[in-house]
């Protein structure tokens, strides 16, 4: 039996492989901010936006395949069976990450790998393809835009206060290159350099701090590195958890759900061979997204040649919400580390065997958000907690 306290070779190798296999840091072009603004102007003027993003630096993946093989061999006879299955499934995902790193920038190579790694609109949830759920959501009327009254510096301060409330030590950096409003790393949250709406700021604190950052921090305290690195399927299900927290915070409204649905549509368009510009036009003119929303959503699908990770948000939300409602998972179980719904039975087994920590006390989400300075705007309460995305 191995223990995290001894910093075993197996866990050290897994953590290093996961660090070197990260795709997201290479998906932010050096000219992202200026090019994004130009594309928004082109689309707003009714012209076809044609992207000219600069290529990001490539990562040398030599040696990663050998590291994968050594890790697979190292699992045999070292870990208890249920835990070994979690490690083996995660190594299969990391193999796809390595393949993506090697193919970045080449759409013909990237897109089939991305479809296997992150899925497409064809995934069936509740008996129907995900794209059908997405189209239903996009039929809801667009919400009026929110006034952008929270500067990036103030959002950073809100996140810092929320982190202190739950005992987190994290850095929060403002980054103009982000296509997302915010993104969480291991010990850092990155925030886009722009102003935010009050509801949006509250949503981002719940999603990034009380979802991703807290799960990552707790995973690092566990005995086995798989909880820190993430179990197979944890990317989508952790996004689903963060969206469930948005719902609890009252900010998962129709506007937000339409964006999640648009990411599925953009992914489907990309895999069908539709151009960047035509996809952005469809989102804006057929589905009512603003030019800024349409360009940001399209960029997230096409970056790196078509990595299209964001199809997992809506799929993860629907899956996690169903699991929470059925009692197959709990919020704090999913926040033990980077957990997927499918890994919860192994987590429960590990806890029973004394191989995982006891669940922490529940967090008063509303209290934390209020003390962080991001109470729900009165004008937004009626739109909170929408019905189930689709039936």
């Amino acid at each position: 039996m191995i223990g995290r306290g001894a910093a075993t070779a197996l866990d050290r190798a897994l953590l290093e492989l996961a660090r070197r296999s990260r795709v997201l840091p290479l998906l932010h072009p050096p000219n992202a901010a200026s090019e994004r603004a130009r594309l928004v102007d082109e689309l707003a003027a009714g012209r076809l936006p044609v992207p000219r993003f600069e290529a990001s630096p490539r990562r040398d993946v030599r040696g990663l395949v050998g590291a994968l093989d050594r890790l697979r061999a190292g699992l045999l006879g070292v870990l208890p069976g249920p835990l070994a299955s979690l490690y083996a499934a995660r190594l299969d995902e990391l193999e796809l990450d390595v393949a993506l790193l090697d193919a970045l920038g080449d759409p013909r190579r990237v897109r089939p790998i991305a479809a296997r790694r992150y899925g497409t609109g064809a995934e069936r949830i509740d008996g129907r393809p995900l794209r059908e759920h997405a189209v239903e959501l996009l039929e809801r009327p667009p919400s009026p835009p929110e006034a952008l009254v929270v500067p990036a510096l103030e959002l950073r301060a809100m996140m810092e206060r929320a982190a202190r409330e739950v005992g987190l030590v994290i850095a929060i950096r403002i980054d103009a290159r982000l296509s997302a409003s915010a993104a969480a790393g291991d010990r850092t949250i990155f925030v886009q350099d722009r102003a935010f709406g009050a509801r949006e700021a509250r949503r981002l604190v719940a999603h990034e701090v009380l979802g991703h950052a807290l799960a990552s921090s707790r995973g690092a305290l566990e005995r086995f590195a798989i909880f820190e690195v993430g179990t197979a399927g944890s990317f989508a299900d952790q996004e689903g958890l963060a969206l469930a927290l948005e719902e609890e915070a009252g900010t998962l409204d129709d506007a937000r759900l339409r964006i999640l649905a648009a990411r599925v549509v953009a992914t489907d368009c990309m895999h069908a061979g539709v151009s960047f510009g035509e996809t952005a036009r469809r989102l804006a003119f057929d589905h009512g997204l603003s030019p800024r929303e349409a360009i940001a959503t399209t960029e997230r699908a096409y970056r790196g040649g078509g990595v299209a990770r964001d199809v997992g948000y809506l799929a993860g939300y629907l899956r996690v919400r169903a699991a929470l409602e059925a009692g197959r998972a709990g919020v704090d179980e999913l926040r033990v580390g980077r957990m997927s719904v499918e890994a919860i039975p192994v987590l429960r087994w590990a806890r029973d065997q004394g191989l995982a920590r006891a669940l922490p006390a529940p967090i008063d989400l509303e209290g934390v958000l209020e003390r962080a300075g991001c109470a729900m705007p009165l004008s937004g309460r009626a739109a909170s907690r929408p019905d189930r995305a689709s039936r």
Side-chain angles (χ1 to χ4, degrees):
M1 186 66 62
I2 67 171
R4 277 303 295 282
T8 65
L10 178 67
D11 274 351
R12 283 198 306 270
L14 178 64
L15 289 164
E16 177 63 14
L17 177 62
R19 183 189 68 79
R20 293 178 62 195
S21 302
R22 287 177 185 153
V23 176
L24 185 59
L26 299 183
L27 298 181
H28 303 304
N31 66 333
S34 59
E35 182 60 6
R36 193 176 301 128
R38 184 189 70 80
L39 291 168
V40 169
D41 289 343
E42 289 288 293
L43 183 59
R47 294 186 289 270
L48 184 72
V50 179
R52 297 196 294 263
F53 290 112
E54 297 173 6
S56 298
R58 296 288 299 274
R59 180 171 294 170
D60 186 353
V61 301
R62 288 178 297 183
L64 294 181
V65 174
L68 276 163
D69 290 341
R70 288 190 295 274
L71 271 168
R72 283 197 176 98
L75 292 177
L76 299 177
V78 176
L79 293 166
L83 280 173
S85 68
L86 291 188
Y87 277 72
R90 185 66 173 104
L91 290 179
D92 290 342
E93 279 193 349
L94 288 171
E95 186 170 7
L96 292 174
D97 289 342
V98 171
L100 274 176
L101 284 175
D102 191 52
L104 280 182
D106 183 348
R108 284 186 291 184
R109 295 175 61 203
V110 164
R111 295 178 183 187
I113 303 168
R116 290 177 59 198
R117 176 66 172 89
Y118 299 113
T120 69
E123 179 181 351
R124 299 188 74 84
I125 297 180
D126 285 348
R128 293 192 296 152
L130 181 62
R131 64 171 65 91
E132 290 188 9
H133 295 271
V135 169
E136 248 180 43
L137 290 171
L138 283 169
E139 290 173 352
R140 299 185 180 189
S143 303
E146 187 180 18
L148 304 181
V149 296
V150 180
L153 285 172
E154 176 56 24
L155 175 57
R156 182 173 71 182
M158 290 176 176
M159 288 182 168
E160 289 170 342
R161 290 192 290 267
R164 286 196 295 271
E165 284 284 331
V166 295
L168 286 179
V169 179
I170 55 173
I172 299 162
R173 298 179 182 172
I174 298 171
D175 189 339
R177 298 176 303 160
L178 285 182
S179 59
S181 297
D186 285 342
R187 295 173 181 83
T188 305
I189 295 175
F190 299 91
V191 173
Q192 198 179 103
D193 189 11
R194 63 172 178 86
F196 300 83
R199 285 173 56 82
E200 183 183 21
R202 175 182 170 92
R203 172 178 70 77
L204 291 170
V205 173
H207 186 112
E208 302 295 347
V209 178
L210 304 181
H212 294 320
L214 191 53
S216 175
S217 174
R218 287 178 173 174
L221 298 175
E222 289 293 335
R223 179 174 176 181
F224 295 96
I226 189 65
F227 299 112
E228 180 178 359
V229 168
T231 64
S234 62
F235 166 72
D237 287 359
Q238 284 295 300
E239 295 299 346
L241 168 64
L243 289 163
L245 293 171
E246 290 184 28
E247 184 173 18
E248 185 179 347
T251 60
L252 189 64
D253 55 15
D254 284 353
R256 175 65 164 156
L257 288 167
R258 292 182 83 254
I259 289 295
L260 302 179
R263 292 175 180 175
V264 176
V265 171
T267 297
D268 258 9
C269 286
M270 182 273 294
H271 283 300
V274 180
S275 72
F276 180 106
E278 286 295 341
T279 296
R281 286 173 61 88
R282 289 185 190 182
L283 294 179
F285 302 139
D286 295 349
H287 298 297
L289 271 67
S290 71
R292 181 176 68 84
E293 290 169 337
I295 290 299
T297 302
T298 304
E299 179 188 344
R300 289 167 71 110
Y302 284 74
R303 58 190 178 181
V307 173
R309 303 163 79 241
D310 295 342
V311 71
Y313 281 68
L314 183 58
Y317 167 65
L318 294 174
R319 186 164 47 245
V320 165
R321 184 168 179 176
L324 293 175
E325 290 175 350
R328 292 186 288 109
V331 167
D332 286 304
E333 286 181 314
L334 288 167
R335 212 160 37 187
V336 159
R338 293 185 171 112
M339 300 294 299
S340 65
V341 169
E342 287 191 356
I344 294 300
V346 179
L347 169 67
R348 292 173 176 173
W349 172 86
R351 210 166 55 240
D352 290 343
Q353 299 297 314
L355 302 176
R357 293 159 54 92
L359 287 181
I363 289 172
D364 175 13
L365 182 138
E366 185 61 37
V368 170
L369 292 175
E370 288 191 3
R371 290 189 292 274
C374 43
M376 171 71 83
L378 292 177
S379 61
R381 289 190 182 275
S384 65
R385 293 193 178 277
D387 292 334
R388 181 71 176 268
S390 47
R391 294 287 181 184

